[in-house]
Amino acid sequence: MNPASVGITLQACAKHYERGQRALHPVDLRVEPGETLVFLGPSGCGKTTTLRLIAGLERPDPGGRVLFDDEDVTALPIESRRVGMVFQNYALFPNLDVRGNVGYGLRIRRMPGEQIRQRVDELLDLMRLREYADRPVQRLSGGQRQRVALARALAPRPRVLLLDEPLAALDAQLRETLRVEMSALLRGLGVTSIYVTHDQAEAMALGDRIVVMSQGRIEQVGTPREIYHRPANLEVAGFIGMLNRMRGALRDGRVHADGDEELWFRPEDARLVAEHEGELRGSVRQVIFLGDRTRVGVAGAAGATLWADVPGRVDVAVDSRVALRVAAEALLNPASTAR
């Protein structure tokens, strides 16, 4: 952990805008020093509003408090909080080259020139940008611009790093590559980081913990594994990955079609077997090849279309009769997994 990192505490932080529009219900949350916490949810769920409260770009409703360690920063503007921000559009200065953008925050703080040069060189090396130091930012790729924006945010050694959908504008392949780089970088820096995204895979890869939000409320806080395998409710289970829902019953440690209990499970936890070998029988209606796996939709199983994942090299014929086998330990809904 970076010794300069701080913990963040939100106490009863709610937010209303004009005409009584509620953006955020009261939130109580603790972010540990050096932790990377990801806010995950659809557009309008309150995740960016929460980020802006932490940054000092918004004030919570009366009674709400934001603390950095034991310091109450609720009334402090962003420039007094020592936070670094990275935005979706990068917000780089087009009239400055890479070196000029990275060092901008240090110059306005009137840091001595030699110290600026040393700090900028350190960050250019960290971000693998040294060979682009004198290049105009307009001539950089999207991934390079994203690294410049991150270096600029880190230059003043912020206590907190805030990232608002920083990879959203990139194409899928580049986003996946930078996701891996970002994960290693944030863990290496040890700076307390808040990351906002609507991308589930991004949240899983980057977060020490994930805060799932919906309609201005926190639905669940937990590690990526906890969120994925032990969702608190249907809202979380349906937002994180694909979800099968059916009416059935549990007997002998397996899911059966003859029952009225609502059961949830992931496609990767459904085993595709011959019709006589499984409990959930039906016909293959759709086959979707995804490269490393094939997703198979089986209609008629328990009166619904259920999905199962098989290895990508397995060929499954449409209209073939098959069955699914699901073990009780694969079920996700709290009522079933508690038994």
Side-chain angles (χ1 to χ4, degrees):
M1 184 187 74
N2 189 320
S5 296
V6 299
I8 301 169
T9 303
L10 304 182
Q11 296 179 348
C13 283
K15 186 64 181 177
H16 286 79
Y17 289 108
E18 296 178 358
R19 300 176 183 174
Q21 178 188 357
R22 183 190 289 272
L24 191 66
H25 292 266
V27 166
D28 292 288
L29 184 67
R30 169 69 180 175
V31 187
E32 297 301 327
E35 180 179 29
T36 297
L37 188 76
V38 177
F39 284 94
L40 174 67
S43 297
C45 71
K47 57 187 187 294
T48 296
T49 298
T50 308
L51 183 84
R52 290 173 66 84
L53 292 177
I54 295 170
L57 295 170
E58 302 279 1
R59 293 262 189 102
D61 292 347
R65 300 174 72 210
V66 180
L67 292 89
F68 286 6
D69 284 341
D70 295 326
E71 178 189 1
D72 190 334
V73 300
T74 309
L76 291 182
I78 183 171
E79 60 269 19
S80 301
R81 296 194 185 191
R82 286 183 55 203
V83 301
M85 289 201 71
V86 181
F87 301 96
Q88 180 177 334
N89 63 1
Y90 313 134
L92 299 176
F93 300 109
N95 59 316
L96 299 177
D97 59 16
V98 170
R99 181 180 293 277
N101 268 277
V102 174
Y104 177 81
L106 304 179
R107 288 196 302 276
I108 64 174
R109 287 168 174 79
R110 301 185 183 279
M111 181 181 287
E114 180 59 21
Q115 292 183 26
I116 292 176
R117 186 190 65 78
Q118 291 177 359
R119 178 60 174 161
V120 170
D121 285 347
E122 176 186 341
L123 288 164
L124 292 177
D125 289 339
L126 179 66
M127 300 294 173
R128 304 194 313 280
L129 290 168
R130 179 66 77 108
E131 64 183 291
Y132 307 105
D134 301 318
R135 183 173 295 187
V137 292
Q138 299 97 315
R139 291 175 53 199
L140 300 178
S141 68
Q144 290 163 348
R145 292 184 190 188
Q146 188 267 344
R147 293 205 296 271
V148 173
L150 185 55
R152 185 180 65 183
L154 291 169
R157 302 185 190 277
R159 296 189 292 175
V160 176
L161 182 63
L162 306 174
L163 306 105
D164 190 4
E165 304 264 14
L167 305 182
L170 305 176
D171 63 72
Q173 185 172 0
L174 180 57
R175 191 164 61 243
E176 185 169 351
T177 299
L178 290 179
R179 185 187 301 151
V180 174
E181 294 183 3
M182 183 81 77
S183 176
L185 179 66
L186 292 178
R187 282 166 173 77
L189 290 169
V191 176
T192 306
S193 302
I194 309 293
Y195 194 105
V196 165
T197 184
H198 65 274
D199 187 303
Q200 299 96 320
E202 209 167 280
M204 294 285 179
L206 294 172
D208 294 317
R209 287 188 302 155
I210 298 172
V211 179
V212 182
M213 299 191 70
S214 174
Q215 298 180 356
R217 290 185 171 89
I218 291 178
E219 298 288 346
Q220 186 174 357
V221 182
T223 67
R225 288 182 180 274
E226 288 169 346
I227 295 290
Y228 191 79
H229 293 298
R230 296 194 295 277
N233 52 42
L234 184 59
E235 187 82 31
V236 176
F239 191 75
I240 303 291
M242 190 169 185
L243 183 70
N244 284 311
R245 297 174 62 188
M246 60 166 282
R247 292 284 177 180
L250 289 175
R251 289 198 308 276
D252 304 321
R254 292 179 186 166
V255 174
H256 294 257
D258 54 339
D260 197 42
E261 183 179 357
E262 183 169 3
L263 306 172
W264 318 335
F265 56 93
R266 306 280 188 203
E268 66 267 28
D269 291 324
R271 182 182 169 201
L272 190 70
V273 296
E275 185 177 16
H276 67 280
E277 295 178 342
E279 293 75 31
L280 308 176
R281 299 177 180 84
S283 298
V284 175
R285 285 290 175 260
Q286 195 169 359
V287 177
I288 304 173
F289 178 65
L290 299 173
D292 61 331
R293 65 195 187 282
T294 296
R295 183 154 288 171
V296 181
V298 180
T305 296
L306 302 177
W307 297 88
D309 286 350
V310 300
R313 294 186 179 277
V314 174
D315 191 15
V316 181
V318 173
D319 293 332
S320 59
R321 294 288 301 177
V322 296
L324 301 181
R325 175 168 288 178
V326 181
E329 56 266 26
L331 295 175
L332 297 178
N333 41 319
S336 295
T337 56
R339 290 193 285 181

